[in-house]
Amino acid sequence: MRADAARNRERVLATARLAAAEGDLSLQLNDIARRAGVGVGTVYRHFPTRRALLEGLAEETFAALLAQVRAASRRDDAWLGVADLLRALLVRQLTDPAFAEVISTGPDLDAAPATTAHRDAFDALARSVLQRARDEGLLRPGLTDEDLRHLVCGTAFALRIGDASAERIDRYLEVLLSGLQANTRG
Amino acid sequence: MRADAARNRERVLATARLAAAEGDLSLQLNDIARRAGVGVGTVYRHFPTRRALLEGLAEETFAALLAQVRAASRRDDAWLGVADLLRALLVRQLTDPAFAEVISTGPDLDAAPATTAHRDAFDALARSVLQRARDEGLLRPGLTDEDLRHLVCGTAFALRIGDASAERIDRYLEVLLSGLQANTRG
DNA sequence: CTTGAATCGGATAAATCATCCGTTTACTGC
DNA sequence: GCAGTAAACGGATGATTTATCCGATTCAAG
């Protein structure tokens, strides 16, 4: 990749990240181009769609999440591993709305290779974490790893409705975790 | 309200409902106008924004939900009342995406009076249903009625990610209900 | 330094949004 | 009925947003 191309790509990403941080998730490509001081064509070349730009923004977060989940998968206590996984996936979404939007939709056919790779890596890790909990009879039967991901995305959505506070995050996480647990009562 | 105005309002709503049923939730007002055979101005007069149109679409569903929740509030078993309330709120969202969008956002300042009224009525009913469960010690402490609404919206969101099937709805509802229940284990 | 392939920029065509106002229509009082 | 009036209509149109295309420019390899 040519040096100027790489530089511009970064510039665009930085500008988009700034816009997102300011609460503007519309990510209008013409607008981003103007703000980044590059031509519209340049933005469209690197990121043909709003979605592509979102994936670019989410990449870092995705990588950081993977590291956390790897750690969670190495915990002694299987259930705490699940709890860590869920919390990490939840908090990352609350911290990075672009990531939330990317992870909350089915795998995209023409997603960036990096996104697909991250997704696959995450799925594999999640599967193993859950399988361990399942083997130990801690997880409510019938739940797939997809269910888990969807439910966490739903919880993130629920939290985004009101105002985010650490207490609310904890509360909703407890509800979710408790609901996922195998019910050992009658 | 003049007769022609009422007629046109209905025409627009019917057309929008049709579009929504076809899966097009973008509700472009110019487009709706063309399809409904009325002028753009007419649409904008009745529904100044996409949001206003959404609220118009959601009205019927909202009313139907209220009836269901009223029934739920009269159940003998307090916990089953909660279960009915949650299921009704969830299924209505899955059935009517416009309603889902309306209920999933904070009360709008310039919402249609009908929407505000429905919202208030729902909130009051939900509060009473929950209070009863709370009084009987069935509900996890610390949960507000807002939390409940948000969590159900989140569950609807989770279900919309994948493909809807009755089994999945039941599964996610069970997870949620179980998580909301007071935890009587250690 | 030359060459040519990759990249750039931004003019502009296409699509979408929302207003405004001259014309038409429904209701009211007679 | 009919006239008068206020309300509603329609759609032309200006403003905004989206996305493409291609002549000009820049990079890097030899």
Side-chain angles (χ1 to χ4, degrees):
Chain A
M1 187 174 206
R2 247 170 67 169
D4 54 348
R7 188 170 1 101
N8 279 328
R9 186 175 191 280
E10 279 319 307
R11 258 195 217 174
V12 170
L13 273 179
T15 305
R17 195 162 282 129
L18 197 59
E22 286 169 1
D24 178 9
L25 260 228
S26 62
L27 296 187
Q28 305 181 0
L29 302 196
N30 278 269
D31 195 43
I32 299 281
R34 194 179 39 69
R35 290 233 263 156
V38 304
V40 203
T42 301
V43 172
Y44 274 89
R45 190 168 325 101
H46 290 298
F47 306 101
T49 63
R50 174 176 174 278
R51 168 79 188 194
L53 184 50
L54 274 179
E55 289 180 4
L57 287 179
E59 235 170 78
E60 270 183 32
T61 296
F62 223 141
L65 172 67
L66 278 178
Q68 282 184 289
V69 175
R70 246 174 244 120
S73 74
R74 286 194 293 266
R75 288 199 65 147
D76 289 336
D77 184 321
W79 187 251
L80 290 183
V82 174
D84 280 0
L85 165 59
L86 261 53
R87 174 176 287 272
L89 178 55
L90 182 65
V91 171
R92 289 288 170 189
Q93 288 188 58
L94 298 175
T95 307
D96 182 348
F99 171 70
E101 197 167 333
V102 170
I103 195 75
S104 290
T105 55
D108 197 337
L109 289 175
D110 37 36
T115 299
T116 303
H118 280 153
R119 234 200 161 77
D120 291 347
F122 175 81
D123 284 351
L125 277 168
R127 230 184 326 270
S128 93
V129 169
L130 288 178
Q131 190 55 50
R132 200 145 69 93
R134 211 178 274 123
D135 289 345
E136 299 186 15
L138 303 171
L139 194 69
R140 170 188 294 267
L143 285 176
T144 72
D145 41 315
E146 275 212 325
D147 287 336
L148 267 274
R149 189 157 43 79
H150 295 167
L151 284 167
V152 175
C153 290
T155 305
F157 181 87
L159 282 163
R160 280 196 302 264
I161 296 180
D163 279 325
S165 80
E167 291 74 32
R168 252 181 103 221
I169 298 179
D170 291 344
R171 198 140 28 100
Y172 288 17
L173 254 179
E174 266 180 44
V175 170
L176 178 57
L177 273 168
S178 156
L180 294 175
Q181 233 165 351
N183 195 333
T184 51
R185 283 174 285 182
Chain B
M1 188 175 205
R2 248 170 66 168
D4 54 346
R7 187 167 5 99
N8 278 329
R9 186 174 191 280
E10 280 317 308
R11 259 195 217 174
V12 170
L13 274 179
T15 306
R17 195 161 282 128
L18 196 60
E22 287 169 359
D24 179 8
L25 260 229
S26 62
L27 296 187
Q28 306 182 2
L29 300 197
N30 277 271
D31 195 41
I32 299 280
R34 195 179 38 68
R35 289 233 263 157
V38 305
V40 202
T42 300
V43 171
Y44 273 90
R45 190 166 328 102
H46 289 297
F47 307 101
T49 63
R50 174 175 174 279
R51 169 78 188 193
L53 185 50
L54 273 180
E55 289 180 4
L57 286 180
E59 235 170 77
E60 271 182 34
T61 296
F62 223 142
L65 172 66
L66 278 178
Q68 283 183 288
V69 175
R70 246 174 245 121
S73 74
R74 285 193 294 267
R75 289 198 65 147
D76 289 335
D77 183 320
W79 186 252
L80 289 183
V82 174
D84 280 0
L85 166 59
L86 260 55
R87 175 176 286 272
L89 179 55
L90 181 66
V91 172
R92 290 288 170 187
Q93 288 188 59
L94 297 176
T95 307
D96 182 348
F99 171 70
E101 197 167 334
V102 170
I103 196 74
S104 290
T105 56
D108 197 337
L109 289 175
D110 38 36
T115 299
T116 304
H118 279 154
R119 235 199 160 78
D120 291 347
F122 175 81
D123 285 351
L125 277 168
R127 232 186 321 273
S128 93
V129 169
L130 287 179
Q131 190 54 51
R132 201 146 69 94
R134 213 178 273 124
D135 290 344
E136 297 185 18
L138 303 170
L139 194 68
R140 170 189 294 267
L143 285 176
T144 71
D145 41 315
E146 276 212 324
D147 288 336
L148 267 273
R149 189 156 44 78
H150 295 167
L151 283 166
V152 175
C153 289
T155 306
F157 180 87
L159 281 163
R160 280 195 302 266
I161 297 180
D163 279 325
S165 80
E167 291 73 33
R168 252 180 104 219
I169 298 179
D170 291 343
R171 197 140 28 101
Y172 287 17
L173 255 179
E174 266 181 44
V175 170
L176 179 57
L177 273 168
S178 155
L180 295 175
Q181 233 166 351
N183 195 334
T184 51
R185 282 174 287 182

